[in-house]
Amino acid sequence: MQFSRVIIVCFSFVFTVQAKPHLFSLNDTLGCGYQVCPATDPNKINVHLIPHSHDDLGWLKTVDEYFNDQTYYLHRWWEMQDDATKENVKRLINEGRLEIINGGWSMNDEANTHYQGTIDQFTLGHKWLYETFGECGLTKTGWQIDPFGHSREQASIYSQMGFDSFIFMRYDYRDQAKRKSHRTMDLLWRGSDNLGKDSNIFTSTFTRGTYAWPPGFCYDISCGDAEIVTDEDSSDFNWNQVVSDFAGYIADQVQYYPTNNLFITMGDDVHYTQAQKNFANIDKLISGFKKYNPNIYGKELNVFYSTPSCYAKAVNEYVIRENAVLDHKTDDFMPLISENDGCWTGFFTSRPTSKRYERISNHYLQATKQLIALAGLPQELSFNLANAVGVMQHHDAITGTELQAVEKDYHRSLYAGIFESVQHISKALTKLLGIEQDIDLHYCAWANVSICHETKEGNFRILLYNPLGRTVTEYVQVPVDDGAWTVTDPEVKKILMFKAENIPPLGYKVYEVAKTGDVSELSNQTQAIADRNKIGFEKNYVILDEETGFIKTMAINGFELNVTPKVMFYYSDYGSGAYMFKPDVNRRDPVSFSDKVENQITTSDLSIEIRQEMRDWGIMTIRIYQDTDYIENDWLAGPVDVGDGSGRDVIIKYTTDLATAGTFYTDSNSRELIKRQRNFRPTFNYTNGEPQSGNYYPVTTRMVLRDEDRGVQFAVIIDRAQGGSSLNDGELELMVHRATLRDEFGGEHLYEMEYGTGLVARGSHYLTFGPVNSERNIYPLLCSSPNNAVPEKAKSFLNQDLPDNVHLLTIQRWNDDANTYLIRLEHFLEKDDDSNLSTEVEIDLENLFTVFTIVSAEERTLNGVTPLRDVSRMNWPQLNDEEERVLGMKNRSLRDDTDLKIALAPMQIRTCAQIFSMTRWLLLALSVYGIYGNPVDFTDDIPVCGYDSCHSIDHEKINIHLVPHSHDDVGWLRTVDQYFYYQVQYIISSVVSALLENPNRRFIQVETAYFYMWWNLQKDETKSQVKQLINEGRLEIINGAWSMNDEANVHYQSTIDQYTLALKFLEDALGKCARPRMGWQIDPFGHSREHASLLSQFGMDGVFFARVDYRDKSKRMRKKTMDMLWTGSANLGSDTNIFTSVLYKHYSAPGGFCFDVTCNDQPIIVDPASPIYNWKSRVDSFADYVRQMLQSYPTRHVLIPFGDDFKWEAALNSYINLDRLIEGFDKFNITINKLPVNIIYSTPSCYAKAVRDYVEEYNVTLEVKTDDFFPYADTSTTVWSGYFTSRPTSKRLERFANNLHQVAKQITAFGNKPADTNLQLSRAMGVMQHHDAITGTEKTAVEIDYHRSLVKGMNIAISNISTTLSAILGLDKDLNLKSCLLSNVSICAESSGDNFNLLVYNPLSRSASHYIQVPVNDGEWKITGPSGEVIEGFLSNPIRNFDYITQDTRKETLNKVLFFRAESLPPLGYNVYNFQRVSLVSKSKEENVVDVGQIGFSDRYINMNLHTRLLESITLNNVTLNVSQDMYFYNSTTQSGAYIFQPNSNSSIRFGDPTDLIITEGGNVKEVKQIWNDYVTQIIRVFKDEDFVEFDWVIGPALSTTSGDYFSKTVIFYLRDVKVQTQISYYVYLTGKTAQAVGANGFGKEIITRYTTNLDSNEEFYTDSNGREMIYRKTNYRPTYTYTDTEPVADNYYPVNTKILIKDDTTEFAVLTDRSEGGSSLNSGEIELMLTRNLLHDDNRGVGEFLNESEYNQGLVVRGSHFVTLGKSLDGNGGRTMAAVERDIAQRKLLQPWVFFTPEDVSVKQLSFLNKELPENVHLLTLETWNDSDNTFLLRLEHILEKDEDPTLSQEVTVDISDLFSTFKIKSMKEYLLAGNTPLEESTRLKWAQVTKPEDESSPLSMQNRLARDITDLNITLAPMQIRTFIATVE
Ligand SMILES: [Zn+2]
């Protein structure tokens, strides 16, 4: 059988990284190990921080799953890396930054392992490390942090491998307590009684029962501890606190250690899958200690990255310097008792068959290695088995503490390894014998349960191979059928047994077995009993007790000893499990199966068997041979009967009459014996918590009782590791099987199953008295050869037997090319074992082997890697005696390699590597490692980015574009800072490193707010690497805006600003290749046409999104119109056409293919030998997905996103799998729709370009869309039109902040201040555009953070404006300008005095007049204008009493509002007004008017119905229109939430008539106040000179209640405190409680205002698109798909950013808003707008809170204004159309004059920064400082009308700006694309033959025209709606 080659497995390692900064340089000298340890400071406390990951080799998952899921086991990982990565790792290792410690194949268990398995697994690991990494890959530190107790032999093995230190965690709790109090956590440990001082090793232990991070300081991706935030401005700032807390931890820990050094582990099980996060925080921790420098015990702290090795070195230096003496230990750390009744002694026996299987496997491994070596076959032939056995040493493998499924996987590997190795043995023997035909040996895996196919039929041959170095004789059992058999020697039984005598050393014998008849001649032979109770042979026999039938006495070689074996069991306690052994406290003593036993006795010439069956699950067969020095107890236990619900632990107890005085002996990993004393520990006080299990010890091979007085010794040698004890003198018990029904740690309980029943375990105990033969574990290997004869029936490959006390421990091939071998010789007796054999012995290697001659032998460390002469171990003066003779290192290292006589002292193992040509070892030593790669110099590279960097496509194939991305919301469930510090920074870092590894990979970076934060934290080196990635198109900026803005609620000005901010940053930081070419709006909830237009104007070629109305999408999928072309503007021509693609299924990875660290989908498993292999099937199912997709897209290209919200924190998880997905399509030759497949890493740009090319080549026509994608419904009843209004105060604050933002940018420009002056506000505004910010769909805590950040930005801006204006005016003293951000709730400290000044700044480029409201105190006020004129004011009452705010903010509310008209404010300039209170009594009066219904002025007024107290009509612009207005609400269903609007009825409910109507009149302002109830108030205001009527409304505090018609006030639970600095949960918003308080049947309320006119508007209306173009709407209608009327209200709602209007043939009625609101016209003549929402449910779209806002300790109060205008459409006012009137109002309301207060007298009372005003259809959209260095400004001019809106104003207009600005003169102006990042001439948008039509060259829209303009030509022409963007250079 051909066994497929498997690349295997597993490397357990611990890596640590030091902070040593290294530049890449060829000249670096090699430095690693102790050389690169950080310096310690003798006068400080040195704190070694040790990053590590503990990666179990299978535990809860199989190794394969672990590897693929999370862990990068070095070796497996290495096999899959490319050369560049390997070089990088080598460099890290050679610089000591990545340090490998321990380095074994696994972190082995120490209780159950055989020393041979341990040595082998270290040899395997260290050899590979040395060959791969050179000397720096070798370690001198043992790291056994997890194993459950520690053996002395492990310490000895470490020492013999040249290790300096041994570090572990788990040991007896009493020992630990003592060590803590004695400061002996560091100690020196003697590993061997026999091997002298060189077996001492420095040992350090943990103070805690965990190797995890210090509590509260876990910085892994899997932890929830607070990140370290160093930004003092952040509300999450905690740096100082973390340092102080950590210092507290150090202070506690350092008192337990003997020196001024302390190590702290920073890691845990399978951590560091995303290392950037971990290291970033540790970096901050370390720098925090430098910054804050806390002291402990009067000492400073020196905190640094370190490694366990460096810790050991530091302690050693201290000890030498201070002459300190450490504790010296000579016993071991077994067993592990973790608490009074927590004895980890169960795992000594757990899974007994597994433990046995490991031993068998090791046996085959040794034979395989020997024969491969002898035959000169390649060493790697033994690799699979060596690997499987190496894995098996793991502390959750051989211990039996893994899950059952994992055990099966271990066995699978072992079985495969053995199976394969038998083939290799055949091959080796065939070669050694020089025969043609393969010997074809077979292996009977189940011989011990009597199954062996090979012996089933007829005659066969048995080959017995003896792996020992001397001749042995063995009894051999072979399962056969009944019958008569002959072997070359003796006879047979059912189990054919024969004595194989004198099998030669390292040799074999072949036995022919023949069946001679069908009837067994011996089968029923009667017993040969000499004496009724004495059974056996002359010298070997047993004597039975007459009464009970039990054995009473045994004799070997005639020596009698009273020994009674019995099978017994313990009842287990619930606390018993795989790890722990705990007898039931009420039934502590072991129970005997029965008092009497029936003996079945079988006799043959070879042996006599006594079978004692006590129950069917406890059987002993005592086998006596004639001539052996042992009696065998062949025991069988199981299936354990647990029918009564109790677990049981089965033991075999041997009772003797020896006087043992409480002592017994157990072996340490099969080597030295350790003396044990019952209820005693040599180094600390024993407390008897568990009298049985507390006395259990691991027995690996043998356990011994000694009667010192009688000089008699009784030993039991066992065939696997078991737990054992001597609980009474003369007794010895061994636990053989376990069945527990509970798990002590809540996992899987240990009741093993096999073959459908409880596990049956079988094994042997060899009982002996006298000198011990510990080699029983090495027995001849049984192979059957049914077919071929072996020419030589007996052969040895040794020329002579080795002496009786010498064991050829290892012979294996070392290096095939150099023809070298590894040989270990062992003296296997201890110094006092035997007077003859425990002496030194000498072996001559020269002619030992028959097949080769040894020429030289170089002695090495036990792991075979380091020549002994190169070893220098740490020196500990307290143990400084030099060893003599063969134990002395000095003697041994002086030995000449050609001296082949090797002497051995007792217990000594000497390891030699040998050659038999004259090639010397120099070859190994001088191996040169090319580890220093040249850093790539990419600065001069010509960038190949954009479309040129796409992977190639092929239109004759199906092209699958895989697009890795992460969707990183700029705030949503967490704040921006939280998301960044907890997740996003690691996403970017992780992706960058993964991209650097493999040039094929691609990633798109989207949100620049995060990228900016990340960039600023990076080192130059990283920045250069990122630039390289960008320049090569491997990392592509997509979208690139500060945030992925919402499209419903945003105003175009803020959108443009946020792209400008981000794209400028990207351009400055990364250059041209960072210009985004695609919009990526995958999450926003509906899509505006204006956004498509803006993207086009930014130069983008396409936009991608996921959320489209379900009806629209299903039609698109049917019609293959998921890809389309979209016309962004009705005014701007074909340049606003943009390719648009709808994602197939949201933006996450296809179902089942999420490979992210946070997902649980199957990884792609490519190893065909793995039982969980799935490569082909995963590729197939992916292909199916693509087949499906292709039915919805018009070309042969599909785009498949791989990502989701905050994915890719551990980028390799996904990339590795995507790499394999791609590879798989090729490997398996997948075709789709009969076409071959081209599957590539791609980006949206590459996809769009590919589609474009395809469309052009095949003349495909795409759909052209001209309307927009609003509203968005994801099902027939869930329309996302609620968020058009959600969080109305937040939406207003954003608009308000924009107003200030423009003012601030203008004044900063005029004052020539730095471009980043307003950065905080710009950034906050950018964030605020995000689709979970301005939408109101974030959590409340996040909203508060948005507001915090915005208000902070506003305050900074105001203060900058003050200094700037003061400087412009040449003032010495700052004007100290202030703004009253709370003036809308009558709070303004600045206007609370009797005399103050207002500086009113107009940000419009034309002069404007404006009514200003100022909260003031009552009295008579004198207002003086800029020219000294006295201005009429109007003193009114506040709309509402806002005193409740006073209570919360301790700010004073003012009791009056003073209106005045600021007349003719200059463009981009200001007027100053003086306010003086001249009398404390006001003259204005307030009256209730009952008989005058008409309020206003002669040409503009309103009529009120005094009966209903509601509006009746409005007269404006010479038109009187019947308009009524009223307040209503909808009751919402449980589906209405932050996103979704779902009323429970189509009818809204009135609040009823207003209860009060208060009319107040001033000279130029008339007010009517309507009060509906405590919660709803409105003032309708008519102004003398305005074209609009203002509706100033206040709603709240409103809370929904159980019944339908009224509101009642409920206290909301409120725990906000923005002053608290700690996070995360400091805003607790107890929404659940509120819901409960109002009852389960409560309805949410959606409050609307409705204007009802008598216009016949035909159910048609218009809403604006982001404040720009108007879009036609019609009730119950969609232009491009069939409307289904399932949500008649919500589905007719549209976003209203600034304006909604209705009209009939002549007359037009418009409502303008001061923020975004949802609105509709459900019936002809009506307009309704939703004002606020109080909801009691979450709509299950992720936010997880319901929208019931509160502020100032009560439900939210919302105040806002509508500006209502009406008139003749064509002749609204003064020759302007209504459209022009509305545009004017909208602009004046968007960019209101900003009011500054100042106590100072401003000398210049009027100032304009413009020399002239711009025409009324032109708007100076932007003026801001661009680059400080070259005196440039960004300037945008906008035509604010659409093309058909006004006959005059909708014309092209030309402005001359050469002399426009008063503070600077423009020299030249270069035109740019809209974001200001790309010069117009560098714009290269994709052309689409179908829609791209050049504009008439004379039009200012024409690109050619614009490009032809000279930069000094300052006459700029604008077409309607055109925005032109310039960077102006000024003088
Ligand atoms: Zn999102």
Side-chain angles (χ1 to χ4, degrees), residues 11 91 142 157 240 308 699 719 818 1044 1269 1278 1317 1698 1765 1801 1848 1896 1916:
F11 198 85
R91 191 178 57 237
I157 288 171
N240 52 352
V699 181
D719 61 353
M1044 183 184 293
F1269 289 93
T1278 48
T1317 301
T1698 57
T1765 187
D1801 183 30
T1848 315
D1896 186 312
I1916 306 299

Side-chain angles (χ1 to χ4, degrees), residues 967 969 1044 1083 1147 1205 1330-1332:
H967 179 62
D969 287 311
M1044 183 184 293
D1083 201 21
Y1147 52 79
D1205 296 0
H1330 167 56
H1331 60 272
D1332 287 307

